[in-house]
PDB file of all heavy atoms in Angstrom:
ATOM      1  N   GLN A 145     157.794  86.112  60.857  1.00 98.00           N
ATOM      2  CA  GLN A 145     156.509  86.226  60.259  1.00 98.00           C
ATOM      3  C   GLN A 145     155.495  85.393  61.127  1.00 98.00           C
ATOM      4  O   GLN A 145     155.999  84.462  61.885  1.00 98.00           O
ATOM      5  CB  GLN A 145     156.514  85.616  58.863  1.00 98.00           C
ATOM      6  CG  GLN A 145     157.209  86.552  57.947  1.00 98.00           C
ATOM      7  CD  GLN A 145     157.155  86.075  56.428  1.00 98.00           C
ATOM      8  OE1 GLN A 145     157.044  84.914  56.220  1.00 98.00           O
ATOM      9  NE2 GLN A 145     157.258  86.946  55.531  1.00 98.00           N
ATOM     10  N   THR A 146     154.225  85.585  60.933  1.00 98.00           N
ATOM     11  CA  THR A 146     153.199  84.714  61.638  1.00 98.00           C
ATOM     12  C   THR A 146     153.441  83.277  61.277  1.00 98.00           C
ATOM     13  O   THR A 146     153.671  82.939  60.164  1.00 98.00           O
ATOM     14  CB  THR A 146     151.793  85.133  61.095  1.00 98.00           C
ATOM     15  OG1 THR A 146     151.607  86.442  61.538  1.00 98.00           O
ATOM     16  CG2 THR A 146     150.735  84.272  61.782  1.00 98.00           C
ATOM     17  N   GLY A 147     153.351  82.457  62.405  1.00 98.00           N
ATOM     18  CA  GLY A 147     153.609  80.968  62.165  1.00 98.00           C
ATOM     19  C   GLY A 147     155.071  80.661  62.357  1.00 98.00           C
ATOM     20  O   GLY A 147     155.344  79.468  62.461  1.00 98.00           O
ATOM     21  N   GLY A 148     156.022  81.585  62.486  1.00 98.00           N
ATOM     22  CA  GLY A 148     157.327  81.307  62.684  1.00 98.00           C
ATOM     23  C   GLY A 148     157.734  81.062  64.135  1.00 98.00           C
ATOM     24  O   GLY A 148     156.869  80.935  65.014  1.00 98.00           O
ATOM     25  N   SER A 149     158.980  80.862  64.323  1.00 98.00           N
ATOM     26  CA  SER A 149     159.448  80.445  65.643  1.00 98.00           C
ATOM     27  C   SER A 149     160.727  81.283  66.087  1.00 98.00           C
ATOM     28  O   SER A 149     161.403  81.731  65.224  1.00 98.00           O
ATOM     29  CB  SER A 149     159.966  78.994  65.660  1.00 98.00           C
ATOM     30  OG  SER A 149     158.946  78.164  65.344  1.00 98.00           O
ATOM     31  N   LEU A 150     160.866  81.456  67.409  1.00 98.00           N
ATOM     32  CA  LEU A 150     161.970  82.087  67.960  1.00 98.00           C
ATOM     33  C   LEU A 150     162.327  81.420  69.260  1.00 98.00           C
ATOM     34  O   LEU A 150     161.509  80.797  69.836  1.00 98.00           O
ATOM     35  CB  LEU A 150     161.795  83.538  68.274  1.00 98.00           C
ATOM     36  CG  LEU A 150     161.685  84.585  67.124  1.00 98.00           C
ATOM     37  CD1 LEU A 150     161.234  86.011  67.574  1.00 98.00           C
ATOM     38  CD2 LEU A 150     163.002  84.668  66.407  1.00 98.00           C
ATOM     39  N   ARG A 151     163.641  81.439  69.650  1.00 98.00           N
ATOM     40  CA  ARG A 151     164.019  80.902  70.931  1.00 98.00           C
ATOM     41  C   ARG A 151     164.729  82.116  71.706  1.00 98.00           C
ATOM     42  O   ARG A 151     165.775  82.481  71.294  1.00 98.00           O
ATOM     43  CB  ARG A 151     164.975  79.743  70.688  1.00 98.00           C
ATOM     44  CG  ARG A 151     165.285  79.043  71.969  1.00 98.00           C
ATOM     45  CD  ARG A 151     166.382  77.961  71.819  1.00 98.00           C
ATOM     46  NE  ARG A 151     166.548  77.042  72.916  1.00 98.00           N
ATOM     47  CZ  ARG A 151     167.578  76.473  73.302  1.00 98.00           C
ATOM     48  NH1 ARG A 151     168.738  76.770  72.693  1.00 98.00           N
ATOM     49  NH2 ARG A 151     167.641  75.628  74.261  1.00 98.00           N
ATOM     50  N   LEU A 152     164.126  82.298  72.897  1.00 98.00           N
ATOM     51  CA  LEU A 152     164.815  83.316  73.686  1.00 98.00           C
ATOM     52  C   LEU A 152     165.616  82.585  74.766  1.00 98.00           C
ATOM     53  O   LEU A 152     165.351  81.463  75.164  1.00 98.00           O
ATOM     54  CB  LEU A 152     163.685  84.139  74.433  1.00 98.00           C
ATOM     55  CG  LEU A 152     162.654  84.853  73.555  1.00 98.00           C
ATOM     56  CD1 LEU A 152     161.759  85.568  74.527  1.00 98.00           C
ATOM     57  CD2 LEU A 152     163.339  85.683  72.604  1.00 98.00           C
ATOM     58  N   SER A 153     166.720  83.214  75.172  1.00 98.00           N
ATOM     59  CA  SER A 153     167.618  82.799  76.152  1.00 98.00           C
ATOM     60  C   SER A 153     167.947  83.863  77.100  1.00 98.00           C
ATOM     61  O   SER A 153     167.933  85.062  76.860  1.00 98.00           O
ATOM     62  CB  SER A 153     169.010  82.289  75.588  1.00 98.00           C
ATOM     63  OG  SER A 153     168.822  81.267  74.629  1.00 98.00           O
ATOM     64  N   CYS A 154     168.086  83.478  78.354  1.00 98.00           N
ATOM     65  CA  CYS A 154     168.444  84.404  79.430  1.00 98.00           C
ATOM     66  C   CYS A 154     169.448  83.746  80.403  1.00 98.00           C
ATOM     67  O   CYS A 154     169.164  82.667  81.005  1.00 98.00           O
ATOM     68  CB  CYS A 154     167.211  84.842  80.157  1.00 98.00           C
ATOM     69  SG  CYS A 154     167.594  85.853  81.657  1.00 98.00           S
ATOM     70  N   VAL A 155     170.606  84.405  80.472  1.00 97.00           N
ATOM     71  CA  VAL A 155     171.782  83.992  81.257  1.00 97.00           C
ATOM     72  C   VAL A 155     171.890  84.797  82.513  1.00 97.00           C
ATOM     73  O   VAL A 155     171.917  86.081  82.361  1.00 97.00           O
ATOM     74  CB  VAL A 155     173.008  83.988  80.524  1.00 97.00           C
ATOM     75  CG1 VAL A 155     174.189  83.361  81.501  1.00 97.00           C
ATOM     76  CG2 VAL A 155     172.922  83.058  79.253  1.00 97.00           C
ATOM     77  N   ALA A 156     171.798  84.200  83.703  1.00 95.00           N
ATOM     78  CA  ALA A 156     171.998  84.950  84.971  1.00 95.00           C
ATOM     79  C   ALA A 156     173.453  84.776  85.461  1.00 95.00           C
ATOM     80  O   ALA A 156     173.966  83.800  85.348  1.00 95.00           O
ATOM     81  CB  ALA A 156     171.083  84.427  85.956  1.00 95.00           C
ATOM     82  N   SER A 157     174.033  85.931  85.930  1.00 94.00           N
ATOM     83  CA  SER A 157     175.312  85.941  86.490  1.00 94.00           C
ATOM     84  C   SER A 157     175.407  86.815  87.630  1.00 94.00           C
ATOM     85  O   SER A 157     174.507  87.627  87.950  1.00 94.00           O
ATOM     86  CB  SER A 157     176.337  86.334  85.380  1.00 94.00           C
ATOM     87  OG  SER A 157     176.095  87.602  85.024  1.00 94.00           O
ATOM     88  N   GLY A 158     176.541  86.660  88.486  1.00 92.00           N
ATOM     89  CA  GLY A 158     176.702  87.476  89.627  1.00 92.00           C
ATOM     90  C   GLY A 158     176.486  86.660  90.866  1.00 92.00           C
ATOM     91  O   GLY A 158     176.754  85.465  90.975  1.00 92.00           O
ATOM     92  N   ALA A 159     175.782  87.383  91.843  1.00 89.00           N
ATOM     93  CA  ALA A 159     175.528  86.760  93.138  1.00 89.00           C
ATOM     94  C   ALA A 159     174.272  85.833  93.072  1.00 89.00           C
ATOM     95  O   ALA A 159     173.246  86.217  93.514  1.00 89.00           O
ATOM     96  CB  ALA A 159     175.416  87.796  94.194  1.00 89.00           C
ATOM     97  N   ILE A 160     174.477  84.669  92.438  1.00 88.00           N
ATOM     98  CA  ILE A 160     173.385  83.756  92.182  1.00 88.00           C
ATOM     99  C   ILE A 160     173.537  82.645  93.279  1.00 88.00           C
ATOM    100  O   ILE A 160     174.458  81.952  93.423  1.00 88.00           O
ATOM    101  CB  ILE A 160     173.546  83.061  90.835  1.00 88.00           C
ATOM    102  CG1 ILE A 160     173.575  84.150  89.678  1.00 88.00           C
ATOM    103  CG2 ILE A 160     172.288  82.085  90.755  1.00 88.00           C
ATOM    104  CD1 ILE A 160     172.343  84.962  89.570  1.00 88.00           C
ATOM    105  N   PHE A 161     172.380  82.550  94.055  1.00 84.00           N
ATOM    106  CA  PHE A 161     172.201  81.591  95.115  1.00 84.00           C
ATOM    107  C   PHE A 161     170.878  81.008  95.156  1.00 84.00           C
ATOM    108  O   PHE A 161     169.861  81.676  95.221  1.00 84.00           O
ATOM    109  CB  PHE A 161     172.522  82.219  96.446  1.00 84.00           C
ATOM    110  CG  PHE A 161     173.882  82.857  96.589  1.00 84.00           C
ATOM    111  CD1 PHE A 161     173.953  84.243  96.559  1.00 84.00           C
ATOM    112  CD2 PHE A 161     174.970  82.202  96.825  1.00 84.00           C
ATOM    113  CE1 PHE A 161     175.176  84.825  96.660  1.00 84.00           C
ATOM    114  CE2 PHE A 161     176.245  82.745  96.962  1.00 84.00           C
ATOM    115  CZ  PHE A 161     176.297  84.170  96.822  1.00 84.00           C
ATOM    116  N   SER A 162     170.744  79.721  94.903  1.00 84.00           N
ATOM    117  CA  SER A 162     169.406  79.016  95.064  1.00 84.00           C
ATOM    118  C   SER A 162     168.272  79.701  94.353  1.00 84.00           C
ATOM    119  O   SER A 162     167.426  80.300  94.992  1.00 84.00           O
ATOM    120  CB  SER A 162     169.183  78.837  96.581  1.00 84.00           C
ATOM    121  OG  SER A 162     170.122  78.103  97.132  1.00 84.00           O
ATOM    122  N   ILE A 163     168.321  79.758  93.037  1.00 84.00           N
ATOM    123  CA  ILE A 163     167.284  80.251  92.304  1.00 84.00           C
ATOM    124  C   ILE A 163     166.035  79.422  92.501  1.00 84.00           C
ATOM    125  O   ILE A 163     166.009  78.222  92.327  1.00 84.00           O
ATOM    126  CB  ILE A 163     167.556  80.250  90.786  1.00 84.00           C
ATOM    127  CG1 ILE A 163     168.835  81.157  90.509  1.00 84.00           C
ATOM    128  CG2 ILE A 163     166.506  80.777  89.997  1.00 84.00           C
ATOM    129  CD1 ILE A 163     169.412  81.169  89.112  1.00 84.00           C
ATOM    130  N   ASN A 164     164.996  80.155  92.848  1.00 89.00           N
ATOM    131  CA  ASN A 164     163.648  79.437  92.951  1.00 89.00           C
ATOM    132  C   ASN A 164     162.907  79.242  91.649  1.00 89.00           C
ATOM    133  O   ASN A 164     162.684  78.118  91.206  1.00 89.00           O
ATOM    134  CB  ASN A 164     162.780  80.160  93.984  1.00 89.00           C
ATOM    135  CG  ASN A 164     163.329  80.156  95.364  1.00 89.00           C
ATOM    136  OD1 ASN A 164     164.009  79.144  95.878  1.00 89.00           O
ATOM    137  ND2 ASN A 164     163.257  81.309  96.005  1.00 89.00           N
ATOM    138  N   VAL A 165     162.573  80.350  91.083  1.00 95.00           N
ATOM    139  CA  VAL A 165     161.808  80.365  89.868  1.00 95.00           C
ATOM    140  C   VAL A 165     162.567  81.210  88.851  1.00 95.00           C
ATOM    141  O   VAL A 165     163.092  82.300  89.111  1.00 95.00           O
ATOM    142  CB  VAL A 165     160.377  80.953  90.104  1.00 95.00           C
ATOM    143  CG1 VAL A 165     159.635  81.045  88.874  1.00 95.00           C
ATOM    144  CG2 VAL A 165     159.669  80.069  91.102  1.00 95.00           C
ATOM    145  N   MET A 166     162.500  80.780  87.606  1.00 96.00           N
ATOM    146  CA  MET A 166     162.903  81.604  86.456  1.00 96.00           C
ATOM    147  C   MET A 166     161.711  81.638  85.493  1.00 96.00           C
ATOM    148  O   MET A 166     160.986  80.669  85.361  1.00 96.00           O
ATOM    149  CB  MET A 166     164.172  81.042  85.811  1.00 96.00           C
ATOM    150  CG  MET A 166     165.413  80.884  86.620  1.00 96.00           C
ATOM    151  SD  MET A 166     166.864  80.378  85.754  1.00 96.00           S
ATOM    152  CE  MET A 166     167.367  81.948  85.010  1.00 96.00           C
ATOM    153  N   GLY A 167     161.694  82.705  84.777  1.00 97.00           N
ATOM    154  CA  GLY A 167     160.594  82.815  83.820  1.00 97.00           C
ATOM    155  C   GLY A 167     160.625  83.998  82.896  1.00 97.00           C
ATOM    156  O   GLY A 167     161.648  84.733  82.820  1.00 97.00           O
ATOM    157  N   TRP A 168     159.541  84.103  82.261  1.00 98.00           N
ATOM    158  CA  TRP A 168     159.426  85.294  81.201  1.00 98.00           C
ATOM    159  C   TRP A 168     158.153  85.994  81.429  1.00 98.00           C
ATOM    160  O   TRP A 168     157.068  85.296  81.545  1.00 98.00           O
ATOM    161  CB  TRP A 168     159.508  84.715  79.772  1.00 98.00           C
ATOM    162  CG  TRP A 168     160.839  84.008  79.517  1.00 98.00           C
ATOM    163  CD1 TRP A 168     161.152  82.713  79.705  1.00 98.00           C
ATOM    164  CD2 TRP A 168     161.949  84.671  78.828  1.00 98.00           C
ATOM    165  NE1 TRP A 168     162.458  82.505  79.207  1.00 98.00           N
ATOM    166  CE2 TRP A 168     162.959  83.659  78.775  1.00 98.00           C
ATOM    167  CE3 TRP A 168     162.212  85.928  78.508  1.00 98.00           C
ATOM    168  CZ2 TRP A 168     164.270  83.880  78.278  1.00 98.00           C
ATOM    169  CZ3 TRP A 168     163.469  86.247  77.896  1.00 98.00           C
ATOM    170  CH2 TRP A 168     164.431  85.237  77.789  1.00 98.00           C
ATOM    171  N   TYR A 169     158.242  87.341  81.350  1.00 98.00           N
ATOM    172  CA  TYR A 169     157.050  88.155  81.199  1.00 98.00           C
ATOM    173  C   TYR A 169     157.146  88.862  79.937  1.00 98.00           C
ATOM    174  O   TYR A 169     158.192  88.941  79.199  1.00 98.00           O
ATOM    175  CB  TYR A 169     157.047  89.225  82.403  1.00 98.00           C
ATOM    176  CG  TYR A 169     156.433  88.799  83.625  1.00 98.00           C
ATOM    177  CD1 TYR A 169     157.182  87.798  84.479  1.00 98.00           C
ATOM    178  CD2 TYR A 169     155.358  89.165  84.119  1.00 98.00           C
ATOM    179  CE1 TYR A 169     156.728  87.388  85.733  1.00 98.00           C
ATOM    180  CE2 TYR A 169     154.683  88.767  85.356  1.00 98.00           C
ATOM    181  CZ  TYR A 169     155.462  87.917  86.106  1.00 98.00           C
ATOM    182  OH  TYR A 169     154.904  87.499  87.250  1.00 98.00           O
ATOM    183  N   ARG A 170     156.036  89.492  79.480  1.00 98.00           N
ATOM    184  CA  ARG A 170     156.042  90.269  78.308  1.00 98.00           C
ATOM    185  C   ARG A 170     155.039  91.532  78.451  1.00 98.00           C
ATOM    186  O   ARG A 170     154.247  91.481  79.295  1.00 98.00           O
ATOM    187  CB  ARG A 170     155.597  89.458  77.007  1.00 98.00           C
ATOM    188  CG  ARG A 170     154.196  89.087  77.039  1.00 98.00           C
ATOM    189  CD  ARG A 170     153.861  88.275  75.846  1.00 98.00           C
ATOM    190  NE  ARG A 170     152.506  87.773  75.795  1.00 98.00           N
ATOM    191  CZ  ARG A 170     151.973  86.933  74.874  1.00 98.00           C
ATOM    192  NH1 ARG A 170     152.829  86.441  73.931  1.00 98.00           N
ATOM    193  NH2 ARG A 170     150.746  86.637  74.952  1.00 98.00           N
ATOM    194  N   GLN A 171     155.402  92.532  77.708  1.00 98.00           N
ATOM    195  CA  GLN A 171     154.663  93.758  77.782  1.00 98.00           C
ATOM    196  C   GLN A 171     154.569  94.395  76.360  1.00 98.00           C
ATOM    197  O   GLN A 171     155.544  94.667  75.746  1.00 98.00           O
ATOM    198  CB  GLN A 171     155.343  94.766  78.725  1.00 98.00           C
ATOM    199  CG  GLN A 171     154.455  96.029  78.938  1.00 98.00           C
ATOM    200  CD  GLN A 171     154.932  96.899  80.057  1.00 98.00           C
ATOM    201  OE1 GLN A 171     156.098  96.800  80.561  1.00 98.00           O
ATOM    202  NE2 GLN A 171     154.067  97.718  80.607  1.00 98.00           N
ATOM    203  N   ALA A 172     153.342  94.409  75.926  1.00 96.00           N
ATOM    204  CA  ALA A 172     153.016  94.968  74.609  1.00 96.00           C
ATOM    205  C   ALA A 172     152.650  96.428  74.860  1.00 96.00           C
ATOM    206  O   ALA A 172     152.315  96.911  75.934  1.00 96.00           O
ATOM    207  CB  ALA A 172     151.794  94.289  73.983  1.00 96.00           C
ATOM    208  N   PRO A 173     152.870  97.264  73.745  1.00 92.00           N
ATOM    209  CA  PRO A 173     152.516  98.722  73.919  1.00 92.00           C
ATOM    210  C   PRO A 173     151.093  98.946  74.414  1.00 92.00           C
ATOM    211  O   PRO A 173     150.067  98.340  73.975  1.00 92.00           O
ATOM    212  CB  PRO A 173     152.637  99.191  72.453  1.00 92.00           C
ATOM    213  CG  PRO A 173     153.640  98.220  71.821  1.00 92.00           C
ATOM    214  CD  PRO A 173     153.267  96.897  72.480  1.00 92.00           C
ATOM    215  N   GLY A 174     151.106  99.823  75.456  1.00 94.00           N
ATOM    216  CA  GLY A 174     149.695 100.115  75.943  1.00 94.00           C
ATOM    217  C   GLY A 174     149.068  99.128  76.929  1.00 94.00           C
ATOM    218  O   GLY A 174     147.902  99.347  77.343  1.00 94.00           O
ATOM    219  N   LYS A 175     149.799  98.003  77.263  1.00 96.00           N
ATOM    220  CA  LYS A 175     149.302  96.988  78.044  1.00 96.00           C
ATOM    221  C   LYS A 175     150.180  96.721  79.195  1.00 96.00           C
ATOM    222  O   LYS A 175     151.292  97.132  79.291  1.00 96.00           O
ATOM    223  CB  LYS A 175     149.158  95.585  77.212  1.00 96.00           C
ATOM    224  CG  LYS A 175     148.153  95.736  76.142  1.00 96.00           C
ATOM    225  CD  LYS A 175     147.988  94.359  75.483  1.00 96.00           C
ATOM    226  CE  LYS A 175     146.901  94.434  74.382  1.00 96.00           C
ATOM    227  NZ  LYS A 175     146.628  93.081  73.711  1.00 96.00           N
ATOM    228  N   GLN A 176     149.574  96.028  80.238  1.00 97.00           N
ATOM    229  CA  GLN A 176     150.351  95.751  81.418  1.00 97.00           C
ATOM    230  C   GLN A 176     151.325  94.572  81.147  1.00 97.00           C
ATOM    231  O   GLN A 176     151.055  93.753  80.256  1.00 97.00           O
ATOM    232  CB  GLN A 176     149.433  95.330  82.622  1.00 97.00           C
ATOM    233  CG  GLN A 176     148.634  96.572  83.145  1.00 97.00           C
ATOM    234  CD  GLN A 176     147.851  96.246  84.364  1.00 97.00           C
ATOM    235  OE1 GLN A 176     147.506  95.070  84.558  1.00 97.00           O
ATOM    236  NE2 GLN A 176     147.706  97.136  85.286  1.00 97.00           N
ATOM    237  N   ARG A 177     152.338  94.524  81.901  1.00 97.00           N
ATOM    238  CA  ARG A 177     153.250  93.307  81.864  1.00 97.00           C
ATOM    239  C   ARG A 177     152.529  92.074  82.337  1.00 97.00           C
ATOM    240  O   ARG A 177     151.838  92.123  83.388  1.00 97.00           O
ATOM    241  CB  ARG A 177     154.495  93.608  82.696  1.00 97.00           C
ATOM    242  CG  ARG A 177     155.637  92.590  82.489  1.00 97.00           C
ATOM    243  CD  ARG A 177     156.926  92.996  83.194  1.00 97.00           C
ATOM    244  NE  ARG A 177     157.442  94.259  82.747  1.00 97.00           N
ATOM    245  CZ  ARG A 177     158.682  94.644  83.122  1.00 97.00           C
ATOM    246  NH1 ARG A 177     159.443  93.963  83.941  1.00 97.00           N
ATOM    247  NH2 ARG A 177     159.171  95.820  82.669  1.00 97.00           N
ATOM    248  N   GLU A 178     152.710  91.039  81.648  1.00 97.00           N
ATOM    249  CA  GLU A 178     151.940  89.768  81.907  1.00 97.00           C
ATOM    250  C   GLU A 178     152.856  88.536  81.923  1.00 97.00           C
ATOM    251  O   GLU A 178     153.940  88.551  81.199  1.00 97.00           O
ATOM    252  CB  GLU A 178     150.878  89.466  80.945  1.00 97.00           C
ATOM    253  CG  GLU A 178     151.259  89.255  79.509  1.00 97.00           C
ATOM    254  CD  GLU A 178     150.184  88.824  78.543  1.00 97.00           C
ATOM    255  OE1 GLU A 178     149.086  88.662  79.096  1.00 97.00           O
ATOM    256  OE2 GLU A 178     150.450  88.669  77.402  1.00 97.00           O
ATOM    257  N   LEU A 179     152.628  87.602  82.784  1.00 98.00           N
ATOM    258  CA  LEU A 179     153.395  86.409  82.891  1.00 98.00           C
ATOM    259  C   LEU A 179     153.204  85.603  81.641  1.00 98.00           C
ATOM    260  O   LEU A 179     152.068  85.361  81.198  1.00 98.00           O
ATOM    261  CB  LEU A 179     153.027  85.572  84.122  1.00 98.00           C
ATOM    262  CG  LEU A 179     153.688  84.218  84.214  1.00 98.00           C
ATOM    263  CD1 LEU A 179     155.234  84.339  84.421  1.00 98.00           C
ATOM    264  CD2 LEU A 179     152.985  83.373  85.269  1.00 98.00           C
ATOM    265  N   VAL A 180     154.326  85.143  80.939  1.00 98.00           N
ATOM    266  CA  VAL A 180     154.235  84.196  79.867  1.00 98.00           C
ATOM    267  C   VAL A 180     154.438  82.790  80.300  1.00 98.00           C
ATOM    268  O   VAL A 180     153.597  81.950  79.993  1.00 98.00           O
ATOM    269  CB  VAL A 180     155.246  84.627  78.737  1.00 98.00           C
ATOM    270  CG1 VAL A 180     155.278  83.570  77.643  1.00 98.00           C
ATOM    271  CG2 VAL A 180     155.063  86.019  78.351  1.00 98.00           C
ATOM    272  N   ALA A 181     155.546  82.559  81.014  1.00 98.00           N
ATOM    273  CA  ALA A 181     155.835  81.242  81.398  1.00 98.00           C
ATOM    274  C   ALA A 181     156.822  81.336  82.566  1.00 98.00           C
ATOM    275  O   ALA A 181     157.600  82.228  82.634  1.00 98.00           O
ATOM    276  CB  ALA A 181     156.403  80.385  80.323  1.00 98.00           C
ATOM    277  N   ALA A 182     156.747  80.279  83.470  1.00 98.00           N
ATOM    278  CA  ALA A 182     157.730  80.191  84.563  1.00 98.00           C
ATOM    279  C   ALA A 182     158.004  78.676  84.842  1.00 98.00           C
ATOM    280  O   ALA A 182     157.221  77.819  84.522  1.00 98.00           O
ATOM    281  CB  ALA A 182     157.115  80.787  85.764  1.00 98.00           C
ATOM    282  N   ILE A 183     159.245  78.520  85.428  1.00 97.00           N
ATOM    283  CA  ILE A 183     159.699  77.257  85.718  1.00 97.00           C
ATOM    284  C   ILE A 183     160.427  77.222  87.107  1.00 97.00           C
ATOM    285  O   ILE A 183     161.217  78.084  87.370  1.00 97.00           O
ATOM    286  CB  ILE A 183     160.567  76.581  84.586  1.00 97.00           C
ATOM    287  CG1 ILE A 183     160.972  75.161  84.903  1.00 97.00           C
ATOM    288  CG2 ILE A 183     161.744  77.576  84.376  1.00 97.00           C
ATOM    289  CD1 ILE A 183     161.510  74.468  83.681  1.00 97.00           C
ATOM    290  N   SER A 184     160.071  76.242  87.882  1.00 95.00           N
ATOM    291  CA  SER A 184     160.545  76.176  89.238  1.00 95.00           C
ATOM    292  C   SER A 184     161.897  75.465  89.169  1.00 95.00           C
ATOM    293  O   SER A 184     162.343  74.882  88.235  1.00 95.00           O
ATOM    294  CB  SER A 184     159.655  75.433  90.262  1.00 95.00           C
ATOM    295  OG  SER A 184     159.648  74.097  89.817  1.00 95.00           O
ATOM    296  N   ASP A 185     162.689  75.462  90.367  1.00 91.00           N
ATOM    297  CA  ASP A 185     163.925  74.732  90.413  1.00 91.00           C
ATOM    298  C   ASP A 185     163.714  73.244  90.276  1.00 91.00           C
ATOM    299  O   ASP A 185     164.569  72.604  89.822  1.00 91.00           O
ATOM    300  CB  ASP A 185     164.673  75.056  91.744  1.00 91.00           C
ATOM    301  CG  ASP A 185     163.756  74.773  92.896  1.00 91.00           C
ATOM    302  OD1 ASP A 185     162.629  74.468  92.822  1.00 91.00           O
ATOM    303  OD2 ASP A 185     164.388  74.891  94.098  1.00 91.00           O
ATOM    304  N   GLY A 186     162.507  72.715  90.508  1.00 91.00           N
ATOM    305  CA  GLY A 186     162.225  71.346  90.303  1.00 91.00           C
ATOM    306  C   GLY A 186     161.687  70.999  89.020  1.00 91.00           C
ATOM    307  O   GLY A 186     161.398  69.831  88.725  1.00 91.00           O
ATOM    308  N   GLY A 187     161.526  71.961  88.180  1.00 93.00           N
ATOM    309  CA  GLY A 187     161.053  71.761  86.767  1.00 93.00           C
ATOM    310  C   GLY A 187     159.564  71.855  86.550  1.00 93.00           C
ATOM    311  O   GLY A 187     159.063  71.662  85.373  1.00 93.00           O
ATOM    312  N   SER A 188     158.864  72.268  87.584  1.00 97.00           N
ATOM    313  CA  SER A 188     157.324  72.474  87.375  1.00 97.00           C
ATOM    314  C   SER A 188     157.197  73.681  86.530  1.00 97.00           C
ATOM    315  O   SER A 188     157.935  74.759  86.768  1.00 97.00           O
ATOM    316  CB  SER A 188     156.624  72.729  88.703  1.00 97.00           C
ATOM    317  OG  SER A 188     156.741  71.587  89.422  1.00 97.00           O
ATOM    318  N   THR A 189     156.259  73.678  85.619  1.00 98.00           N
ATOM    319  CA  THR A 189     156.053  74.858  84.700  1.00 98.00           C
ATOM    320  C   THR A 189     154.647  75.410  84.891  1.00 98.00           C
ATOM    321  O   THR A 189     153.603  74.751  85.239  1.00 98.00           O
ATOM    322  CB  THR A 189     156.277  74.498  83.236  1.00 98.00           C
ATOM    323  OG1 THR A 189     155.402  73.310  82.868  1.00 98.00           O
ATOM    324  CG2 THR A 189     157.736  74.002  83.071  1.00 98.00           C
TER     325      THR A 189
END
């Protein structure tokens, strides 16, 4: 409901080497995919 909370998780596996940036995009119906948030390997957001 409006005002509520959710926590998304994403686990990467396989040939993982030196991840630079991890993040989230979203796409609503009829809209382009947009960046929501990103975090660098150093913690910059």
Side-chain angles (χ1 to χ4, degrees):
Q145 292 185 334
T146 296
S149 298
L150 286 173
R151 188 189 194 213
L152 305 184
S153 300
C154 173
V155 181
S157 62
I160 304 296
F161 304 100
S162 299
I163 298 173
N164 296 322
V165 177
M166 299 187 79
W168 296 89
Y169 277 72
R170 68 185 180 187
Q171 188 166 18
K175 295 188 177 180
Q176 289 188 329
R177 190 174 295 191
E178 63 174 357
L179 175 68
V180 177
I183 183 167
S184 71
D185 56 350
S188 297
T189 57

